[in-house]
PDB file of all heavy atoms in Angstrom:
ATOM      1  N   ARG A 613     124.371 111.830  97.660  1.00  0.00           N
ATOM      2  CA  ARG A 613     124.986 110.941  96.660  1.00  0.00           C
ATOM      3  C   ARG A 613     124.370 111.151  95.286  1.00  0.00           C
ATOM      4  O   ARG A 613     125.061 111.159  94.273  1.00  0.00           O
ATOM      5  CB  ARG A 613     124.800 109.477  97.056  1.00  0.00           C
ATOM      6  CG  ARG A 613     125.720 109.057  98.167  1.00  0.00           C
ATOM      7  CD  ARG A 613     125.867 107.531  98.194  1.00  0.00           C
ATOM      8  NE  ARG A 613     126.542 107.149  99.417  1.00  0.00           N
ATOM      9  CZ  ARG A 613     126.043 106.337 100.345  1.00  0.00           C
ATOM     10  NH1 ARG A 613     124.863 105.769 100.151  1.00  0.00           N
ATOM     11  NH2 ARG A 613     126.712 106.066 101.432  1.00  0.00           N
ATOM     12  N   ILE A 614     123.041 111.311  95.275  1.00  0.00           N
ATOM     13  CA  ILE A 614     122.346 111.488  93.989  1.00  0.00           C
ATOM     14  C   ILE A 614     122.794 112.781  93.330  1.00  0.00           C
ATOM     15  O   ILE A 614     123.124 112.814  92.134  1.00  0.00           O
ATOM     16  CB  ILE A 614     120.808 111.472  94.204  1.00  0.00           C
ATOM     17  CG1 ILE A 614     120.353 110.052  94.555  1.00  0.00           C
ATOM     18  CG2 ILE A 614     120.070 111.985  92.976  1.00  0.00           C
ATOM     19  CD1 ILE A 614     118.905 109.933  95.020  1.00  0.00           C
ATOM     20  N   VAL A 615     122.835 113.865  94.107  1.00  0.00           N
ATOM     21  CA  VAL A 615     123.241 115.169  93.556  1.00  0.00           C
ATOM     22  C   VAL A 615     124.684 115.101  93.040  1.00  0.00           C
ATOM     23  O   VAL A 615     124.990 115.586  91.946  1.00  0.00           O
ATOM     24  CB  VAL A 615     123.069 116.264  94.626  1.00  0.00           C
ATOM     25  CG1 VAL A 615     123.788 117.542  94.229  1.00  0.00           C
ATOM     26  CG2 VAL A 615     121.588 116.525  94.870  1.00  0.00           C
ATOM     27  N   ASP A 616     125.565 114.455  93.816  1.00  0.00           N
ATOM     28  CA  ASP A 616     126.961 114.296  93.390  1.00  0.00           C
ATOM     29  C   ASP A 616     127.061 113.541  92.079  1.00  0.00           C
ATOM     30  O   ASP A 616     127.745 113.964  91.148  1.00  0.00           O
ATOM     31  CB  ASP A 616     127.759 113.506  94.451  1.00  0.00           C
ATOM     32  CG  ASP A 616     128.258 114.421  95.546  1.00  0.00           C
ATOM     33  OD1 ASP A 616     128.112 115.657  95.380  1.00  0.00           O
ATOM     34  OD2 ASP A 616     128.785 113.902  96.557  1.00  0.00           O
ATOM     35  N   ALA A 617     126.362 112.406  92.021  1.00  0.00           N
ATOM     36  CA  ALA A 617     126.490 111.532  90.851  1.00  0.00           C
ATOM     37  C   ALA A 617     125.839 112.143  89.613  1.00  0.00           C
ATOM     38  O   ALA A 617     126.335 111.979  88.501  1.00  0.00           O
ATOM     39  CB  ALA A 617     125.878 110.167  91.152  1.00  0.00           C
ATOM     40  N   ALA A 618     124.708 112.840  89.814  1.00  0.00           N
ATOM     41  CA  ALA A 618     123.996 113.403  88.664  1.00  0.00           C
ATOM     42  C   ALA A 618     124.615 114.723  88.218  1.00  0.00           C
ATOM     43  O   ALA A 618     124.404 115.164  87.086  1.00  0.00           O
ATOM     44  CB  ALA A 618     122.528 113.607  89.004  1.00  0.00           C
ATOM     45  N   GLY A 619     125.360 115.367  89.104  1.00  0.00           N
ATOM     46  CA  GLY A 619     125.969 116.653  88.768  1.00  0.00           C
ATOM     47  C   GLY A 619     124.945 117.762  88.637  1.00  0.00           C
ATOM     48  O   GLY A 619     125.190 118.779  87.995  1.00  0.00           O
ATOM     49  N   THR A 620     123.764 117.571  89.245  1.00  0.00           N
ATOM     50  CA  THR A 620     122.745 118.618  89.207  1.00  0.00           C
ATOM     51  C   THR A 620     121.852 118.497  90.437  1.00  0.00           C
ATOM     52  O   THR A 620     121.818 117.444  91.067  1.00  0.00           O
ATOM     53  CB  THR A 620     121.892 118.540  87.912  1.00  0.00           C
ATOM     54  OG1 THR A 620     120.931 119.591  87.920  1.00  0.00           O
ATOM     55  CG2 THR A 620     121.144 117.222  87.810  1.00  0.00           C
ATOM     56  N   ILE A 687     119.317 109.033  89.524  1.00  0.00           N
ATOM     57  CA  ILE A 687     120.560 109.642  89.043  1.00  0.00           C
ATOM     58  C   ILE A 687     120.554 109.706  87.520  1.00  0.00           C
ATOM     59  O   ILE A 687     120.841 110.748  86.921  1.00  0.00           O
ATOM     60  CB  ILE A 687     121.788 108.834  89.545  1.00  0.00           C
ATOM     61  CG1 ILE A 687     121.912 108.979  91.066  1.00  0.00           C
ATOM     62  CG2 ILE A 687     123.071 109.285  88.839  1.00  0.00           C
ATOM     63  CD1 ILE A 687     122.897 108.005  91.708  1.00  0.00           C
ATOM     64  N   LEU A 690     118.036 112.341  86.270  1.00  0.00           N
ATOM     65  CA  LEU A 690     118.508 113.716  86.484  1.00  0.00           C
ATOM     66  C   LEU A 690     119.666 114.031  85.533  1.00  0.00           C
ATOM     67  O   LEU A 690     119.737 115.136  84.987  1.00  0.00           O
ATOM     68  CB  LEU A 690     118.953 113.901  87.940  1.00  0.00           C
ATOM     69  CG  LEU A 690     117.831 114.034  88.977  1.00  0.00           C
ATOM     70  CD1 LEU A 690     118.413 114.065  90.380  1.00  0.00           C
ATOM     71  CD2 LEU A 690     116.978 115.280  88.708  1.00  0.00           C
ATOM     72  N   SER A 691     120.567 113.068  85.324  1.00  0.00           N
ATOM     73  CA  SER A 691     121.701 113.292  84.426  1.00  0.00           C
ATOM     74  C   SER A 691     121.210 113.574  83.012  1.00  0.00           C
ATOM     75  O   SER A 691     121.761 114.410  82.309  1.00  0.00           O
ATOM     76  CB  SER A 691     122.622 112.073  84.385  1.00  0.00           C
ATOM     77  OG  SER A 691     122.998 111.696  85.668  1.00  0.00           O
TER      78      SER A 691
END
Side-chain angles (χ1 to χ4, degrees):
R613 284 200 191 121
I614 289 170
V615 166
D616 276 352
T620 181
I687 292 168
L690 284 174
S691 307

